[in-house]
């Protein structure tokens, strides 16, 4: 009986082997693409994190050297610390960035600030200076800690 169906079985096995070979080839190709994509994604993540840390380093230096307004530095630091995967945004020392930001977030910036009258700008500036004064000591301590943490990671 085997002799009777030998060629049919042989053709069937050859077809099955070629089908499995094709499947293995495409699966290997897909794994290679996913591996390449994962490497590229990891590289992009590392570059983004490095950019965030370098930005935090520059901002913290500017604040320490009093080259930047405290409120502007706070807003920028808060956003970057929140985006960083290497810094723990829930760290007790960083609370001041988030607390101060909560009081600053409603102030007008950029085009919206330019649309305000001079009196409204003056009022916002006075209110902003009060917030800066309220947090300044804790904020500058936190900036020193952040600067040290960032230096350690760079």
């Amino acid at each position: 009986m085997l002799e009777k169906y030998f060629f049919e079985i042989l053709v069937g096995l050859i077809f099955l082997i070629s089908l499995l070979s094709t499947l293995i080839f495409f699966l290997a190709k897909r794994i290679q693409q996913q591996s390449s994509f994962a490497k590229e994604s990891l590289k992009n993540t590392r570059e983004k994190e490095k950019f965030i840390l370098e930005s935090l380093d520059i901002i913290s230096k500017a604040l320490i050297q009093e080259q930047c307004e405290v409120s502007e530095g706070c807003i920028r630091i808060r956003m970057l610390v929140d985006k960083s995967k290497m810094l723990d945004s829930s760290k007790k020392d960083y609370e001041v960035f988030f607390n101060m930001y909560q009081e600053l977030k409603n102030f007008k910036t950029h085009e919206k600030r330019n649309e305000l009258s001079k009196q409204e700008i003056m009022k916002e500036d006075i209110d902003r200076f009060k917030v800066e004064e309220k947090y300044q000591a804790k904020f500058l301590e936190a900036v020193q800690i952040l600067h040290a943490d960032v230096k350690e990671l760079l």
Side-chain angles (χ1 to χ4, degrees), residues 40-150:
E40 187 67 29
S41 178
L42 181 61
K43 180 184 172 192
N44 290 341
T45 302
R46 284 185 181 152
E47 287 175 1
K48 181 180 177 184
E49 191 64 34
K50 183 179 179 192
F51 177 78
I52 289 171
L53 293 174
E54 287 173 347
S55 297
L56 284 167
D57 182 49
I58 291 167
I59 294 166
S60 60
K61 280 180 189 175
L63 285 162
I64 291 167
Q65 296 171 0
E66 298 178 5
Q67 297 175 352
C68 176
E69 287 189 23
V70 173
S71 56
E72 181 182 350
C74 175
I75 292 168
R76 292 175 187 271
I77 286 174
R78 187 260 182 210
M79 295 300 179
L80 291 169
V81 166
D82 219 19
K83 289 180 182 178
S84 174
K85 291 175 180 35
M86 294 179 76
L87 292 171
D88 180 11
S89 62
S90 64
K91 186 175 179 179
K92 185 93 170 134
D93 295 317
Y94 299 161
E95 271 182 10
V96 68
F97 302 136
F98 295 90
N99 294 339
M100 186 174 171
Y101 175 79
Q102 286 301 315
E103 292 189 37
L104 293 172
K105 71 180 181 181
N106 294 321
F107 288 100
K108 307 286 187 275
T109 59
H110 307 301
E111 292 84 27
K112 289 186 179 183
R113 180 176 167 88
N114 291 336
E115 293 172 2
L116 297 176
S117 68
K118 288 185 180 188
Q119 291 81 11
E120 291 171 319
I121 290 174
M122 182 73 83
K123 183 186 180 323
E124 277 207 349
D125 284 345
I126 290 169
D127 292 343
R128 184 172 48 85
F129 292 143
K130 286 178 185 176
V131 172
E132 286 181 3
E133 189 177 314
K134 176 181 173 183
Y135 288 99
Q136 185 145 4
K138 280 186 175 181
F139 179 79
L140 291 176
E141 282 178 34
V143 168
Q144 294 280 359
I145 293 167
L146 174 67
H147 183 66
D149 292 347
V150 168

Side-chain angles (χ1 to χ4, degrees), residues 12-29:
L13 287 175
I14 290 172
F15 176 74
L16 188 61
I17 290 170
S18 65
L19 184 66
L20 288 174
S21 297
T22 304
L23 181 65
I24 289 170
F25 172 77
F26 283 112
L27 288 175
K29 193 81 164 160

